[in-house]
Amino acid sequence: LQPGAGKSELLNSDDVSSYQQTLNKENSAQDSAAKQTFDQTLINLFPKNPLQAMTEENMLQIITFAIFIGVGIIMVGSKAQMVHKFLEQTNEVLMYIVTMIMSVFAPIGTFALVAHAFTGAGFGAIQQLGMYFFIVLLALVIHFFVVYGTAVKVMGRTSPLKFYKEFIPAITLGFS
């Protein structure tokens, strides 16, 4: 079916090239991190400054710091109840904010990014991505009915229609 056949300017856009440069920098940083010795890795587990580790998004140091904070709260016991309650309430507030942002602003942001990419790339890119989307859906439908249907009939020795009927809630949740 060749869904990517044809030529569009989507892959030649400035956004794609800047993203590729970012990926190249991340790959080189990962390569240098992979060459660390074991003792360097152990030393890098512990942050010199926890706030700096958070601003630099150094997840390994943040996790190590969080573990020490958690162990400290557990060891102190009831004396740290206010700290524990503060952290729980902070977590509740932040999770509410993240949920609100993800449900309200993420779809708008995604639409804006896709619209920006398409306006720069033209109708050819929309046509190619639409064809790709159609082929993926076609492959999923074939897989669902042919592969699952055959497996249920042969290995499960049950009716594929009964399987589909009971499988609909799970697949709907997964698809959504």
Side-chain angles (χ1 to χ4, degrees):
L1 296 175
Q2 300 177 348
K7 184 166 173 105
S8 75
E9 298 299 315
L10 182 62
L11 296 178
N12 298 331
S13 68
D14 293 335
D15 294 331
V16 173
S17 60
S18 66
Y19 179 70
Q20 185 62 45
Q21 290 172 354
T22 304
L23 284 180
N24 291 340
K25 288 178 187 175
E26 288 176 4
N27 287 340
S28 64
Q30 288 175 353
D31 290 342
S32 66
K35 294 176 185 172
Q36 285 184 349
T37 61
F38 180 71
D39 58 336
Q40 288 173 328
T41 304
L42 282 179
I43 291 169
N44 288 336
L45 281 174
F46 302 97
K48 294 177 182 137
N49 182 347
L51 292 177
Q52 182 182 8
M54 290 178 199
T55 58
E56 293 175 355
E57 299 175 3
N58 190 333
M59 291 307 295
L60 200 54
Q61 291 182 355
I62 294 169
I63 291 170
T64 304
F65 179 70
I67 289 171
F68 277 104
I69 292 291
V71 169
I73 290 173
I74 291 170
M75 297 307 288
V76 171
S78 63
K79 293 178 187 175
Q81 190 171 3
M82 283 183 58
V83 174
H84 184 262
K85 192 171 185 175
F86 170 75
L87 292 175
E88 278 186 343
Q89 290 172 343
T90 303
N91 182 50
E92 289 292 324
V93 170
L94 292 177
M95 291 310 293
Y96 175 79
I97 291 170
V98 168
T99 304
M100 184 181 64
I101 289 171
M102 291 302 293
S103 64
V104 175
F105 297 113
I108 296 169
T110 303
F111 175 77
L113 287 172
V114 170
H116 175 71
F118 282 147
T119 56
F123 184 71
I126 296 171
Q127 191 175 16
Q128 284 179 321
L129 288 174
M131 185 66 172
Y132 177 75
F133 178 74
F134 171 74
I135 290 174
V136 168
L137 284 179
L138 179 67
L140 289 173
V141 167
I142 291 170
H143 184 266
F144 184 73
F145 287 109
V146 175
V147 175
Y148 281 174
T150 304
V152 166
K153 185 72 174 164
V154 173
M155 294 169 40
R157 293 187 172 93
T158 186
S159 167
L161 292 176
K162 180 182 175 192
F163 169 75
Y164 296 141
K165 196 185 225 182
E166 293 176 6
F167 192 57
I168 289 295
I171 200 74
T172 304
L173 177 66
F175 182 75
S176 64

